[in-house]
């Protein structure tokens, strides 16, 4: 796939005016440790605004907006260097080798999102309803729509589908 085949969306919490994601420098990471009650996300994007580049990050518990940081005013090479450094710091993998990503215990895992389709909030609700039925719950008060950010909904869908395949 070409790096520019799909224009990726700038994170909804980013307020850089007229910024665009540079090529495919955009990722969603997840770290789940059930015994430690951890379920965290980390978003990293290399954004271009005018002639400057910024490394945008957002992180927190899944289901929450989280915290944000924006490092920047870089030229392209420095922006890529900073993006790759942050990715390695969080995953212990190199960005250039992401197609053969190897999860490392205690670090974030790369989540592969389907960028060719629009997010479908009803899929997250359907997954929650199916899980409820599988657990023989009589709880009819499940939400019919989700207020979660579309990337978090995609993450829930991904986790559900992975679990369903096992």
């Amino acid at each position: 796939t070409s790096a520019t085949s799909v224009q990726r969306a700038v994170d909804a919490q980013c307020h850089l005016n007229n910024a665009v994601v540079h090529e495919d420098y955009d990722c969603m990471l997840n770290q789940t440790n059930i015994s430690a009650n951890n379920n965290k996300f980390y978003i990293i994007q290399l954004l271009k605004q005018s002639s400057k580049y910024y490394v945008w990050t957002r992180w927190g518990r899944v289901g929450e907006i989280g915290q944000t940081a924006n490092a920047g005013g870089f030229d392209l090479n420095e922006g890529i260097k900073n993006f790759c450094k942050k990715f390695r710091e969080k995953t212990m993998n190199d960005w250039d080798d992401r197609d053969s990503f190897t999860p490392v215990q205690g670090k974030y895992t790369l989540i592969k999102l389907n960028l060719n389709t629009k997010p479908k909030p009803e899929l997250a609700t359907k997954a929650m309803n199916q899980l409820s039925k599988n657990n023989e719950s009589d709880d009819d008060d499940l939400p019919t729509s989700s207020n979660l950010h579309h990337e978090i909904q995609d993450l829930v869908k991904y986790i559900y589908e992975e679990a369903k395949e096992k």
Side-chain angles (χ1 to χ4, degrees):
T1 60
S2 168
T4 57
S5 61
V6 175
Q7 180 59 51
R8 295 159 181 259
V10 173
D11 182 60
Q13 299 303 314
C14 180
H15 301 295
L16 274 177
N17 292 331
N18 301 316
V20 294
V21 174
H22 177 69
E23 295 181 356
D24 68 340
Y25 288 87
D26 173 28
C27 65
M28 161 130 354
L29 308 175
N30 177 262
Q31 185 181 75
T32 302
N33 180 336
I34 295 171
S35 63
N37 193 27
N38 287 344
N39 190 9
K40 306 183 291 186
F41 71 92
Y42 206 102
I43 296 169
I44 311 170
Q45 295 184 314
L46 179 60
L47 304 178
K48 180 181 181 184
Q49 182 190 50
S50 299
S51 61
K52 299 290 184 184
Y53 292 82
Y54 299 84
V55 177
W56 169 261
T57 54
R58 182 163 64 93
W59 66 94
R61 289 183 62 88
V62 170
E64 296 178 1
I65 291 174
Q67 300 176 58
T68 64
N70 189 33
F74 304 120
D75 65 26
L76 177 58
N77 289 335
E78 196 67 20
I80 289 173
K81 179 180 170 185
N82 278 274
F83 177 95
C84 292
K85 179 181 176 186
K86 182 62 72 175
F87 183 81
R88 175 133 182 90
E89 174 187 309
K90 296 299 173 186
T91 66
M92 293 304 293
N93 281 257
D94 291 324
W95 179 250
D96 290 338
D97 298 328
R98 64 193 173 280
D99 290 336
S100 57
F101 187 91
T102 304
V104 175
Q105 187 163 355
K107 293 292 183 179
Y108 284 84
T109 298
L110 178 62
I111 302 300
K112 293 186 180 186
L113 299 176
N114 183 352
L115 300 174
N116 295 320
T117 61
K118 292 187 176 185
K120 298 177 182 170
E122 65 274 8
L123 290 177
T125 301
K126 183 178 178 183
M128 289 172 47
N129 288 333
Q130 186 62 42
L131 284 172
S132 175
K133 288 177 187 173
N134 289 347
N135 291 330
E136 299 179 317
S137 171
D138 292 331
D139 186 1
D140 291 329
D141 296 328
L142 289 172
T144 56
S145 66
S146 175
N147 292 328
L148 291 175
H149 187 274
H150 69 86
E151 290 175 339
I152 302 302
Q153 292 175 33
D154 285 347
L155 175 61
V156 170
K157 177 183 168 225
Y158 172 81
I159 292 169
Y160 173 75
E161 289 177 352
E162 286 293 308
K164 196 167 79 170
E165 290 178 12
K166 292 182 180 179

